């Protein structure tokens, strides 16, 4: 297949592009700078501009664009930026598809577990309702924008959980602390984080290119885990203690609303659609995931 990727230079995009090429696919990417190779096409999603030739002959478009949720404090301006950096690219892509006589038949557009808000202990399958809060609202708008693709395009909105990688991503700041033995759970640790390893995220997107699925798909591992279990298992694999719990009031004082929605919210997400379609995880258990993260090589 010929696949066009938006956001190919990010953590997931880099791993996914490599996985796709290893699977024999041709990967083209959208870039904001002048193209440096025949496989790059320029766009300006904030202005709604794109080189329409990028989509010609494409069998699928994968949209991973979006500013980092936890990179900076959530000022009003930053929240607007988080939303615009997702809606702008998504609408630019669907508009470009709408201008084509034969648009790409598949559109995979990333969403996030934040769609569900703080859902406590409830098990969240794809038919669970949207939650409340900044992230839930952004995700709902993001998914609605993806559904603006032309009729006949199979649209999948991938609600991705916390991505475990050996560097960067959600654990980028936590892993070095755990390796030093000075990390620990966040808040009371009983909140559920839907997690998945980086190779499995890439594998899931590759699988979704041809799987008979449409609409929302929970992209996480089949084994659920609360933060206490997640941190303790990672620390154990690193042969380090994880005793320095950070209380919720401290997190709220330092991070404000971001702490409530990104670190303290509970989402016990279940990958019902992926499992039902026959996806095979490389790291289905937390023990396997932690061992992979700790290996580093």
């Amino acid at each position: 297949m010929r696949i066009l990727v938006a956001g190919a230079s990010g953590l997931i995009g880099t791993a996914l592009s490599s996985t796709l090429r290893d699977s024999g696919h041709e990967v083209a990417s959208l870039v904001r700078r002048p193209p440096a190779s025949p496989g790059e096409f320029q766009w300006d999603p904030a202005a709604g501009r794109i080189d329409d030739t990028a989509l010609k002959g494409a069998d699928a478009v994968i949209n991973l664009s979006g500013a980092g949720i936890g990179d900076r404090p959530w000022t009003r301006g930053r929240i607007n930026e988080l939303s615009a950096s997702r809606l702008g690219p998504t609408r630019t892509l669907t508009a470009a598809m709408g201008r084509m006589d034969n648009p790409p038949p598949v559109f995979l557009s990333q969403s996030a577990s934040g769609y569900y808000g703080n859902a406590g202990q409830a098990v969240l399958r794809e038919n669970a309702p949207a939650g409340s809060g900044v992230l839930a609202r952004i995700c709902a708008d993001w998914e609605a924008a993806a559904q603006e693709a032309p009729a006949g395009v199979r649209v999948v909105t991938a609600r991705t959980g916390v991505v475990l990688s050996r560097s960067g991503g959600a654990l980028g700041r936590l892993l070095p602390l755990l390796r030093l033995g000075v990390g620990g759970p966040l808040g009371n640790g009983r909140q559920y984080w839907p997690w998945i390893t980086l190779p499995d995220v890439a594998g899931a997107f590759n699988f979704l290119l041809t799987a008979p699925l449409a609409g929302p798909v929970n992209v996480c591992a089949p084994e659920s885990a609360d933060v206490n279990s997640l941190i303790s298992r990672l620390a154990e694999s690193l042969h380090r203690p994880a005793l320095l719990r950070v209380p919720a009031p401290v997190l709220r004082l330092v991070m404000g609303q971001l702490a409530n929605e990104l670190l303290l919210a509970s989402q016990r997400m279940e990958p019902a659609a992926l499992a039902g379609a026959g996806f095979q995880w490389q790291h289905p258990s937390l023990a396997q995931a932690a061992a992979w993260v700790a290996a580093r090589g």
Side-chain angles (χ1 to χ4, degrees):
M1 299 173 69
R2 181 178 183 274
I3 301 158
L4 179 66
V5 180
S9 62
L11 178 73
I12 295 176
T14 300
L16 175 58
S17 296
S18 177
T19 295
L20 293 174
R21 290 189 177 100
D22 289 345
S23 297
H25 300 303
E26 176 189 346
V27 179
S29 58
L30 291 169
V31 295
R32 289 173 171 81
R33 53 171 171 74
S37 70
E40 294 183 343
F41 298 87
Q42 192 167 22
W43 73 331
D44 182 355
R49 291 195 296 268
I50 186 172
D51 181 352
D52 283 358
T53 59
L55 285 82
K56 290 181 179 177
D59 298 295
V61 176
I62 299 178
N63 175 29
L64 304 172
S65 296
I69 292 292
D71 295 354
R72 286 163 40 193
W74 279 9
T75 61
R76 186 181 299 275
R78 180 58 174 174
I79 289 172
N80 290 338
E81 185 179 352
L82 293 176
S83 178
S85 69
R86 285 159 173 77
L87 300 187
T90 306
R91 288 172 175 158
T92 299
L93 290 169
T94 57
M97 293 181 209
R99 293 190 292 269
M100 301 181 69
D101 293 331
N102 296 297
V106 180
F107 182 37
L108 307 185
S109 191
Q110 192 173 22
S111 182
S113 58
Y115 174 90
Y116 299 110
N118 184 3
Q121 305 296 302
V123 175
L124 303 168
R125 300 182 182 90
E126 284 82 357
N127 60 354
S132 60
V134 170
L135 290 181
R137 185 170 65 252
I138 289 175
C139 288
D141 291 344
W142 197 6
E143 293 185 16
Q147 293 296 339
E148 294 171 9
V153 175
R154 180 171 63 88
V155 179
V156 176
T157 50
R159 294 173 182 164
T160 306
V162 175
V163 177
L164 305 185
S165 75
R166 290 167 173 162
S167 62
L171 294 182
R173 296 172 186 172
L174 183 59
L175 267 181
L177 298 177
L178 289 175
R179 292 187 194 280
L180 291 171
V182 294
L186 307 172
N188 64 26
R190 293 192 294 272
Q191 69 273 33
Y192 280 84
W193 281 5
W195 62 271
I196 186 167
T197 63
L198 185 59
D200 278 336
V201 171
F205 272 90
N206 192 17
F207 177 81
L208 289 168
L209 288 171
T210 55
L213 295 172
V217 173
N218 289 344
V219 179
C220 61
E223 180 181 311
S224 61
D226 64 16
V227 171
N228 284 332
S229 300
L230 185 63
I231 299 300
S232 64
R233 180 65 79 172
L234 285 169
E236 181 182 328
S237 293
L238 293 165
H239 307 292
R240 294 289 187 273
L243 304 175
L244 301 181
R245 183 181 303 277
V246 184
V250 174
L251 289 170
R252 293 188 183 103
L253 180 66
V254 173
M255 302 178 69
Q257 186 180 6
L258 190 154
N260 281 332
E261 295 202 29
L262 193 63
L263 302 178
L264 301 174
S266 181
Q267 293 140 3
R268 194 173 184 175
M269 205 163 73
E270 180 180 299
L274 275 178
F279 179 65
Q280 298 293 312
W281 284 262
Q282 290 185 48
H283 310 114
S285 74
L286 186 54
Q288 291 169 309
W292 174 79
V293 170
R296 282 205 276 188

